[in-house]
Amino acid sequence: MNKYSAEVRIVLRNGILDAQGKAIENSLRSLEFSQLTNVKVGKIISLQVEAADDESAKKIVDNASKELLANTIIEDYFITLNKIE
Amino acid sequence: MNCSVITFPGSNCDHDAIFAAELAGWKVKNVWHEERILPIGTDLIILPGGFSYGDYLRCGAIARFSPIMHDVVKFAEKGGYIIGICNGFQILTETKLLPGVLLRNNNLMFRCKDVSIRVTNNKTAFTNKYVENEVITLPIAHGDGNYYADEEVINELEGEDRVVFRYSDENGNITEDANPNGSINNIAGIINGQGNVLGMMPHPERYSDKTLSSDAGLKMFLGILE
């Protein structure tokens, strides 16, 4: 068995109102960071996974993302995987 | 008739729901989420408001995996009646017993106030004590009540008359100003295709007795009794 560290980055899908991102963008504008636009807020979930190989590690994290970590009606998720040992 | 009110860690409207259901004439059992089997003879389940599991990850996302939920889903599939109020509505969408999702309020505010609600479908088991298009006042208290679903789902809900409550002004007009959270089409409550599972953001249980200032919500618990 191999051990992997994984990160699942979850963001709201394009077209879904990101109210937090909007509020942050407005605050940035009031601080005169007006060159910063399109602010989006997401979350990163880091975890470790034991699996036989890269492919099955990714599959486990992908299933967990679909099942619980992200709500695919409104969110997209991206997985990065690194072998630890 | 027997009603089971489920308490999750973080539920805080469970006792209000028990109070309202008892007032309406139900024999009520409070069921802890770690139970695996619903009390025998349950006719109605109420998933109450609150902040189950601290709203971690997404509102209602973790409660979906509480041990009792397996039996709740089976109960729904067999046609059993379920009302999900506020966090209970969020749990129903996460469990996929109802379509869509409740997003953060578009104004980013936690809205805690009385709002006008129009009963847009009184032909459900839950709302048959209301007059069609009756405007009632109920409290809301939520930060994530902004109902969202894709166009296909919205068309299906509208086409099948499954939007049961809409935020309105006091005359029943469905306006942007009357929408406290940005919900598509001012949706405040919906029902599933079979007509046995209802989710709503407003709190009928909080207005179930005139000494609490209004009993406009009590009829929600009376309809199914008949």
Side-chain angles (χ1 to χ4, degrees):
Chain A
M1 280 300 230
N2 296 311
K3 201 177 217 179
Y4 298 83
S5 72
E7 233 176 46
V8 184
R9 187 167 62 87
I10 300 162
V11 291
L12 284 170
R13 285 190 164 181
N14 280 335
I16 305 290
L17 174 71
D18 185 349
Q20 293 185 84
K22 273 258 178 306
I24 292 168
E25 192 170 320
N26 289 342
S27 301
L28 287 169
R29 198 173 304 134
S30 70
L31 288 170
E32 295 179 2
F33 284 110
S34 57
Q35 63 275 54
L36 302 177
T37 57
N38 212 13
V39 179
K40 293 201 169 153
V41 177
K43 53 194 151 198
I44 291 175
I45 298 172
S46 65
L47 40 92
Q48 291 192 349
V49 53
E50 275 184 36
D53 52 43
D54 294 16
E55 200 181 325
S56 54
K58 184 146 191 191
K59 200 167 173 193
I60 293 167
V61 180
D62 189 63
N63 285 340
S65 301
K66 266 201 221 91
E67 190 69 27
L68 172 65
L69 305 181
N71 184 333
T72 54
I73 299 174
I74 48 163
E75 292 170 327
D76 286 325
Y77 63 89
F78 305 92
I79 297 167
T80 51
L81 206 62
N82 284 303
K83 198 167 169 183
I84 309 172
E85 56 191 54
Chain B
M1 297 281 273
N2 300 300
C3 168
S4 293
V5 175
I6 315 287
T7 299
F8 300 92
S11 295
N12 64 9
C13 301
D14 41 346
H15 289 277
D16 309 52
I18 292 166
F19 174 84
E22 281 180 345
L23 204 60
W26 291 89
K27 198 169 157 221
V28 185
K29 282 212 170 103
N30 191 197
V31 179
W32 181 236
H33 76 116
E34 283 183 337
E35 298 291 331
R36 291 186 178 274
I37 296 176
L38 289 162
I40 292 164
T42 296
D43 301 294
L44 167 69
I45 294 173
I46 300 176
L47 301 180
F51 302 86
S52 57
Y53 293 90
D55 279 349
Y56 292 170
L57 192 64
R58 295 177 307 277
C59 303
I62 314 274
R64 174 186 155 204
F65 296 96
S66 276
I68 194 66
M69 287 307 290
H70 184 69
D71 213 27
V72 170
V73 171
K74 270 198 343 209
F75 178 83
E77 285 167 356
K78 280 190 285 187
Y81 291 113
I82 302 181
I83 304 176
I85 301 165
C86 198
N87 188 227
F89 186 10
Q90 294 160 341
I91 294 169
L92 288 172
T93 59
E94 282 286 343
T95 312
K96 313 287 183 213
L97 287 175
L98 288 174
V101 59
L102 284 310
L103 289 170
R104 180 66 50 92
N105 293 349
N106 65 340
N107 44 45
L108 277 181
M109 286 191 281
F110 187 95
R111 305 309 296 263
C112 184
K113 59 174 190 173
D114 285 359
V115 293
S116 296
I117 307 287
R118 191 164 111 192
V119 183
T120 45
N121 182 351
N122 73 335
K123 293 172 194 73
T124 77
F126 305 93
T127 53
N128 57 36
K129 293 281 175 193
Y130 293 101
V131 176
E132 191 166 10
N133 290 320
E134 183 174 345
V135 179
I136 55 173
T137 300
L138 291 179
I140 55 165
H142 60 251
D144 299 76
N146 177 359
Y147 185 78
Y148 171 84
D150 65 29
E151 207 180 326
E152 195 182 326
V153 170
I154 294 292
N155 287 341
E156 190 182 307
L157 289 173
E158 295 288 358
E160 295 175 2
D161 206 11
R162 286 165 50 197
V163 178
V164 177
F165 300 107
R166 287 184 214 268
Y167 302 108
S168 72
D169 66 17
E170 56 195 23
N171 298 315
N173 299 308
I174 311 298
T175 65
E176 206 178 319
D177 282 348
N179 189 338
N181 51 32
S183 290
I184 293 178
N185 297 355
N186 286 39
I187 289 172
I190 58 168
I191 198 162
N192 67 340
Q194 290 70 45
N196 61 312
V197 179
L198 179 137
M200 63 191 296
M201 288 313 293
H203 287 272
E205 81 285 12
R206 292 192 189 177
Y207 273 2
S208 55
D209 187 309
K210 282 205 167 118
T211 54
L212 301 169
S213 82
S214 166
D215 61 357
L218 188 65
K219 289 179 189 168
M220 275 294 299
F221 306 95
L222 290 169
I224 319 157
L225 277 171
E226 289 179 5

